[in-house]
Amino acid sequence: MPPATAPRPASPLPDFCGLPALFAILLVGALAVTVMWLAPDTRFSWRGYSVAMAFVAWLAMLETLALCKARPRLERLSGWMPYAGVWLVIVLVVIAASLAGRWLDRVLGLALVDGGYLRFARANVLVAALLAAAMLRYFYVLGQWQLRLAAAAQAQVAALQARIRPHFLFNSMNTVAALVRVDPDAAERTIEDLSELFRAALGEQGGGDDTLAEEWALVDRYLAIEQLRLGERLHVHRELDTLPADFPLPRLLLQPLVENAVRHGIQPLREGGEIRLEGHVDQGMLVIEISNPLPPAPTPRGNGQGLDNVRQRVAYRYGARARVEAGPVDDRFLVRLRLPTSGGRDG
């Protein structure tokens, strides 16, 4: 089994290459122009307001482009230096755009800009420097909060895994103890399967991913152990051929769900039943369904900790688009995972 891959640390800077960044810069500039236009004793006319808004739109596009190109280099800096670099890029772009705009106004004879080159550039730089400092302070505080949140979530994932592991290992050890006396060969195979489960359960902390194929292999080993214990009472139906085998999946995400299906759907039934493992890809979402028969009489379902753990791990790993749905459907209990095939949180 490959070693866990540590999640990539979050970037200290926002993404300047998308439309949200362009819209944010444009909005801040437009608000600044509007406030100056509405201020008492302003000399802004409708014509001046329109020219200023056009200049702000042009400036926002230049700044977004410059920040997008400079972001990879700025991110190599440490501490607060990336934000200082962003502030400097904004100021330099404003200086260059102001001088270029004043030159074009003079060459074309439009008379849209009052004052000389230095006066026009100085006024624009002063406003841009103050606004940029306020915005970057906000982004710095937001970035620090996101880093602390990611660290807390990572610690929570480790704690969730630690709570899941003893649950299935205890049951599996009981199965091995029973098989040693009646079927040594089966006990040997079971120990081999159990060793792989131990290897996965005692692997590195940190929420590293396995592939979907590796997770199904662990599920198969667990079901092999339960098959020896339950015999003909346990039937497994699989429809998984269309799923991408290399899809990244958090370690031990599926096994607790299958264990719950065996414990609450097969064990209470004298005649046993069928566990269904099905999956497909639908509109950019990987859908995994695990279902078991519902016993005729209600059975204790525990405190739901295993399913809650899975929900939290899925939400942390895949973000808001992912879903974990669980509940009775006709005469079966169904757990459905809907995971985005692209755009996962870890990237």
Side-chain angles (χ1 to χ4, degrees):
M1 186 174 295
T5 301
R8 188 173 55 193
S11 168
L13 296 177
D15 181 10
F16 295 111
C17 299
L19 288 178
L22 174 61
F23 177 76
I25 295 175
L26 180 60
L27 179 62
V28 171
L31 287 175
V33 171
T34 302
V35 168
M36 289 188 293
W37 179 61
L38 294 176
D41 301 326
T42 183
R43 293 184 296 173
F44 259 18
S45 62
W46 274 106
R47 179 172 178 267
Y49 179 74
S50 302
V51 171
M53 291 296 287
F55 180 73
V56 164
W58 178 54
L59 197 58
M61 289 187 288
L62 291 177
E63 288 177 353
T64 303
L65 179 61
L67 291 173
C68 178
K69 297 296 185 182
R71 183 172 181 257
R73 291 185 178 139
L74 294 175
E75 285 182 329
R76 299 173 189 169
L77 304 176
S78 60
W80 52 268
M81 291 301 293
Y83 297 94
V86 170
W87 184 86
L88 182 60
V89 169
I90 291 176
V91 170
L92 293 177
V93 169
V94 170
I95 293 175
S98 298
L99 295 177
R102 182 65 184 87
W103 179 79
L104 285 174
D105 180 73
R106 176 176 173 275
V107 169
L108 299 176
L110 301 176
L112 298 175
V113 178
D114 296 331
Y117 286 90
L118 294 181
R119 180 183 174 185
F120 182 62
R122 183 173 63 247
N124 291 336
V125 167
L126 180 61
V127 173
L130 293 175
L131 292 176
M135 286 184 62
L136 291 173
R137 173 61 182 171
Y138 165 77
F139 283 128
Y140 177 77
V141 173
L142 179 62
Q144 294 300 308
W145 174 77
Q146 289 176 337
L147 288 175
R148 288 194 294 270
L149 181 63
Q154 197 66 30
Q156 184 184 33
V157 169
L160 292 173
Q161 288 180 327
R163 289 205 299 265
I164 290 173
R165 290 168 182 169
H167 186 64
F168 76 87
L169 291 177
F170 177 79
N171 292 339
S172 300
M173 289 297 292
N174 282 341
T175 302
V176 171
L179 286 172
V180 167
R181 302 175 184 174
V182 297
D183 192 341
D185 292 336
E188 182 178 354
R189 294 194 302 270
T190 303
I191 290 175
E192 292 176 357
D193 292 335
L194 188 57
S195 68
E196 291 301 320
L197 292 174
F198 265 108
R199 184 176 300 174
L202 302 178
E204 292 186 34
Q205 297 264 1
D209 287 345
D210 283 340
T211 65
L212 183 58
E214 290 167 335
E215 286 300 300
W216 282 130
L218 290 176
V219 168
D220 287 340
R221 290 183 180 275
Y222 169 77
L223 288 173
I225 295 173
E226 293 292 63
Q227 189 76 65
L228 290 171
R229 185 170 67 90
L230 297 172
E232 293 298 322
R233 295 174 58 203
L234 174 61
H235 301 274
V236 182
H237 174 78
R238 296 175 175 85
E239 290 186 13
L240 306 168
D241 295 339
T242 61
L243 295 181
D246 58 349
F247 182 81
L249 207 67
R251 181 178 297 117
L252 291 178
L253 185 72
L254 300 179
Q255 188 276 337
L257 299 177
V258 176
E259 182 178 354
N260 283 342
V262 172
R263 173 185 295 178
H264 300 296
I266 305 301
Q267 288 185 175
L269 299 176
R270 183 185 300 271
E271 70 281 7
E274 182 180 71
I275 301 293
R276 295 179 185 171
L277 309 177
E278 301 172 327
H280 60 278
V281 177
D282 178 30
Q283 298 180 351
M285 302 292 287
L286 185 142
V287 182
I288 299 174
E289 297 180 348
I290 300 171
S291 67
N292 58 267
L294 285 172
T299 59
R301 301 198 64 85
N303 57 10
Q305 177 177 303
L307 189 56
D308 289 341
N309 288 346
V310 170
R311 283 196 174 100
Q312 293 180 56
R313 297 179 68 194
V314 165
Y316 172 73
R317 173 60 179 83
Y318 299 102
R321 293 177 58 198
R323 291 288 184 273
V324 179
E325 304 163 354
V329 177
D330 297 329
D331 60 345
R332 301 183 66 82
F333 187 85
L334 173 67
V335 178
R336 178 185 293 117
L337 283 71
R338 297 181 58 86
L339 311 175
T341 56
S342 61
R345 187 181 297 274
D346 290 350

